[in-house]
Amino acid sequence: LLDRPEAAADRVVEALVVASLLVPAGTDLVGLPRYRLPDLIGDYARERAEADEPAADRRAAAERALRALLARVSSAPPAADPAGWRASERANLTAAVAVARRLGLADLAGDLAAAVTP
């Protein structure tokens, strides 16, 4: 979804909701919709990735996702209230820092940590 225009990404998200592969989880502090994976789907995806994808590919995919998150936070957060958006994303950004640390991406972890409290 990261490489798609917003309207196309919205259509993909809606299709995933209709297929029960994503579950709406309310809105964040600035009114943007939130979604989560059903537990069973998340567990299955994790098991398949661990069984089917080499560790290097999983690490590269995680790094791309973390860098995309950093770019989004570092530029203009997708909300009229950047401070409110950062506050609503604090738990996700903190988890992203932990993932970057676990993957040994110290510079990226530092950049993400700085983005939490600019």
Side-chain angles (χ1 to χ4, degrees), residues 27-92:
T27 56
D28 63 16
L29 294 175
V30 293
L32 296 173
R34 304 299 297 201
Y35 301 91
R36 67 174 183 78
L37 287 174
D39 293 340
L40 185 60
I41 299 297
D43 291 346
Y44 179 74
R46 189 172 12 270
E47 287 175 10
R48 293 302 341 134
E50 289 172 358
D52 297 342
E53 299 294 328
D57 290 351
R58 292 193 315 269
R59 183 182 189 277
E63 183 175 356
R64 283 192 309 274
L66 292 169
R67 289 197 184 283
L69 175 62
L70 177 61
R72 186 171 182 137
V73 172
S74 298
S75 61
D81 176 12
W85 184 82
R86 278 190 180 86
S88 71
E89 290 296 314
R90 185 171 302 280
N92 289 330

Side-chain angles (χ1 to χ4, degrees), residues 78-107:
D81 176 12
W85 184 82
R86 278 190 180 86
S88 71
E89 290 296 314
R90 185 171 302 280
N92 289 330
L93 291 168
T94 302
V97 170
V99 169
R101 274 190 63 231
R102 189 172 65 247
L103 293 174
L105 303 168
D107 290 345

